[in-house]
């Protein structure tokens, strides 16, 4: 199902050229069991961390050659791109044509240089939330650390100053108020993954819950 890394890298390079490019997919646009909304609902654990340019930091570490801790200034200087994506929440709402700008996860990976053994990325947020994905899923060309939505700085309720966006998967994989990205050899289920939600979270295969009984 996923394209090979070179194909994604080529698409990513095109995105970095400055045009707004829609996330590419084929087939039906609305995943099974979803309905369309227009009001960008807010969903989280109820804690909305008070962060701004002065106290936000992003630590990127684990199985990498070059671990870094970026402050806002350093993060802001990384190359950015804009993408238009659809968002699918497991609670059945989907919203189309959401325009986010941010730093591609590809750019982050090139900066820290994952070791050969790195296979998973564990995301940790300022509100205590965690979620996990394979490095392969994170290296899709549309995955970004987003800092703006529709041309405005990302609001606090939607995870500002910066959140992960993984548009092709259910939105619980898109950690708001991102604090740490840890590259790992082994998988580590996050907050919802430990509570029965799917590890892979693909809306198009109705992949909502863990298969384990
Ligand atoms: N830090 C953090 N990120 C989070 C969550 C959370 O509780 N804390 N909730 C997740 C869930 S379940 C969803 S559906 C999306 C919702 O993002 P939104 O509030 O911007 O719509 O954020 C995800 N990221
Ligand atoms: Mo959610």
């Amino acid at each position: 199902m996923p394209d090979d890394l070179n194909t994604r890298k080529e698409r990513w390079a095109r995105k970095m050229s400055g045009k707004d490019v829609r996330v590419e997919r084929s087939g039906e646009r609305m995943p099974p069991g979803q309905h369309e909304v227009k009001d960008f609902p807010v969903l989280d654990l109820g804690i909305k961390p008070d962060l701004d340019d002065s106290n936000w930091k992003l630590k990127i570490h684990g199985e990498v050659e070059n671990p870094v801790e970026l402050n806002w200034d350093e993060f802001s200087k990384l190359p950015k791109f804009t993408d238009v994506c659809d968002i699918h929440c497991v609670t059945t709402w989907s919203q189309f044509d959401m325009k986010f700008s941010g730093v591609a996860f590809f750019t982050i990976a090139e900066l820290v240089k994952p070791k050969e053994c790195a296979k998973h990325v564990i995301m940790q947020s300022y509100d205590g939330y965690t979620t996990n994905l394979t490095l392969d899923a994170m290296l899709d060309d549309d995955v970004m650390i987003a800092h703006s939505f529709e041309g405005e700085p990302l609001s606090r309720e939607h995870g500002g100053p910066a959140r992960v966006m993984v548009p092709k998967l259910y939105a619980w994989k898109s950690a708001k108020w991102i604090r740490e990205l840890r590259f790992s050899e082994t998988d580590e289920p996050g907050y919802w993954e430990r509570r029965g939600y799917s590890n892979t979270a693909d809306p198009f295969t109705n992949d909502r819950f863990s298969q384990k009984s």
Side-chain angles (χ1 to χ4, degrees), residues 21-189:
V21 195
R22 269 200 53 78
V23 171
E24 286 182 38
R25 76 170 61 72
S26 55
E28 186 61 46
R29 188 172 184 187
M30 183 63 90
Q34 297 292 111
H35 70 277
E36 190 178 354
V37 299
K38 304 262 190 200
D39 58 348
F40 198 5
V42 173
L43 274 99
D44 52 53
L45 303 175
I47 306 156
K48 295 187 177 30
D50 191 5
L51 298 162
D52 58 33
D53 302 9
S54 67
N55 62 4
W56 181 89
K57 274 186 188 155
L58 176 60
K59 187 174 173 180
I60 309 154
H61 64 133
E63 301 293 353
V64 297
E65 306 290 348
N66 179 36
V68 292
E69 189 166 40
L70 303 172
N71 63 26
W72 186 257
D73 201 41
E74 293 160 332
F75 174 74
S76 303
K77 286 185 180 134
L78 295 173
K80 299 172 193 73
F81 78 110
T82 297
D83 218 339
V84 181
C85 67
D86 300 342
I87 296 184
H88 309 293
C89 176
V90 72
T91 61
T92 76
W93 61 265
S94 291
Q95 188 157 344
F96 293 158
D97 297 322
M98 312 283 272
K99 184 162 144 178
F100 289 93
S101 306
V103 175
F105 186 80
F106 257 120
T107 301
I108 299 281
E110 289 203 329
L111 178 69
V112 298
K113 299 183 177 30
K115 292 182 184 170
E116 205 51 48
C117 66
K119 299 286 178 235
H120 301 269
V121 178
I122 316 302
M123 296 167 252
Q124 167 105 44
S125 297
Y126 278 93
D127 61 343
Y129 187 77
T130 54
T131 189
N132 57 303
L133 276 175
T134 61
L135 179 55
D136 187 61
M138 292 295 280
L139 285 174
D140 208 341
D141 58 88
D142 53 10
V143 175
M144 69 164 84
I145 315 300
H147 57 66
S148 78
F149 172 64
E150 302 295 347
E152 299 291 330
L154 188 64
S155 67
R156 181 176 173 184
E157 60 179 2
H158 286 298
R163 74 177 298 169
V164 178
M165 279 306 303
V166 187
K168 292 198 188 77
L169 302 181
Y170 285 122
W172 86 79
K173 293 291 185 180
S174 294
K176 310 203 281 192
W177 310 292
I178 188 67
R179 177 163 115 159
E180 266 183 45
L181 299 168
R182 182 161 49 82
F183 289 68
S184 170
E185 190 171 353
T186 53
D187 199 5
E188 230 170 87

